[in-house]
Amino acid sequence: MASSRTIGALSREAGVGIETIRYYERIGLLPPPRRAESGYRHYNDDDIGRLRFVKRGRELGFSIDEIRTLLQLAAQPEQPCAEADRLVREHLAEVEQRIADLSRLHAELAGLACCSERRASDCRIIEALAGAPLPHA
Amino acid sequence: MASSRTIGALSREAGVGIETIRYYERIGLLPPPRRAESGYRHYNDDDIGRLRFVKRGRELGFSIDEIRTLLQLAAQPEQPCAEADRLVREHLAEVEQRIADLSRLHAELAGLACCSERRASDCRIIEALAGAPLPHA
DNA sequence: ATTGACCCTGTAGTGGCTACAGGGTCTAGG
DNA sequence: CCTAGACCCTGTAGCCACTACAGGGTCAAT
Ligand SMILES: [Zn+2]
Ligand SMILES: [Zn+2]
Ligand SMILES: [Zn+2]
Ligand SMILES: [Zn+2]
């Protein structure tokens, strides 16, 4: 017995918003589901699987396009998975880059804190933004 | 002699794109500059200062709204700078949160790597996305 | 029959730019 | 004086990945 569910039920089962599901369909990430006579969408078990796949991909920070590729790879079970591996490595490098950027930012911001006793004209934060040279201590 | 420059010159001096400068003006982050009879914008030295302030703020990851607030604070030199300090702390917390999120992501992705010798049907990456339980090693 | 939960389409908004299209202006060289 | 090319103008649309309506139709229980 293949179970069938409306978009609301799918939304609850997969933990993805209704609007988001319709958006994924619109951009071709999910296939158009069967429709009842009323026009209501009806989803089967494969559809949950696919949507959960997308959700996990997003949680891992993959872009929609990267997920599109991963879905294609998953649909060709006999092909070697080298490309999936490459994609993960590439994405890992992106994440590392973002962490490095944010860490640099963090250090700069941490160096600015704690001057709330001054007037704005002497504030280190304002000075740093306005371009006054900071003492290089 | 107050020097005056067109938008192209300002763009080069501040290191901010022309389209971006016009965008900042449109959203009220920069004041509308003097105009020549031709309609060309002309900027003075204060305008460079303000634009550089904005640029540094963006480089530090502040949102446009945060920069708006910082600009207002900088314009009131007699006020105490407690609010600027609070804003920086708050922003620092945001950055820390983002780093934490990305680090979690990084760990998960790193745990997936290196299976390019297999077929897609056995690929750990595909399995992990499809929801197959990973051995908890 | 009515209520209220659910569903539909289509459009517009978010942030922070960026990229045109389709024009006008300015300046240096010939 | 004329023209080429660099520069400038406005207005609009696109990017990403959603999210939030407005204005309607459908379904199940009472
Ligand atoms: Zn990626
Ligand atoms: Zn201060
Ligand atoms: Zn912030
Ligand atoms: Zn693999």
Side-chain angles (χ1 to χ4, degrees), chain A residues 61-63 66 91 94:
Chain A
F62 289 104
S63 72
E66 284 167 340
H91 186 64
E94 293 166 22

Side-chain angles (χ1 to χ4, degrees), chain B residues 3 5 10 30 43-52:
Chain B
S3 60
R5 51 192 74 60
L10 177 65
L30 300 179
Y43 296 93
N44 60 31
D45 293 346
D46 286 353
D47 293 323
I48 315 185
R50 194 175 172 100
L51 180 53
R52 286 201 172 130

Side-chain angles (χ1 to χ4, degrees), chain B residues 48-97:
Chain B
I48 315 185
R50 194 175 172 100
L51 180 53
R52 286 201 172 130
F53 188 105
V54 171
K55 190 197 180 200
R56 287 207 186 80
R58 291 295 298 137
E59 285 169 354
L60 286 170
F62 290 105
S63 71
I64 297 287
D65 262 4
E66 285 167 340
I67 291 170
R68 225 184 276 273
T69 304
L70 287 168
L71 280 167
Q72 279 166 14
L73 295 174
Q76 302 180 327
E78 295 308 318
Q79 294 295 312
C81 65
E83 200 180 347
D85 200 43
R86 194 186 54 73
L87 213 142
V88 168
R89 274 188 230 276
E90 218 174 82
H91 186 63
L92 198 54
E94 293 165 23
V95 171
E96 279 165 8
Q97 184 61 60

Side-chain angles (χ1 to χ4, degrees), chain A residues 6-8 22 35 39-41:
Chain A
T6 63
I7 198 169
R22 287 199 281 247
R35 297 277 187 145
Y40 283 22
R41 291 169 178 84

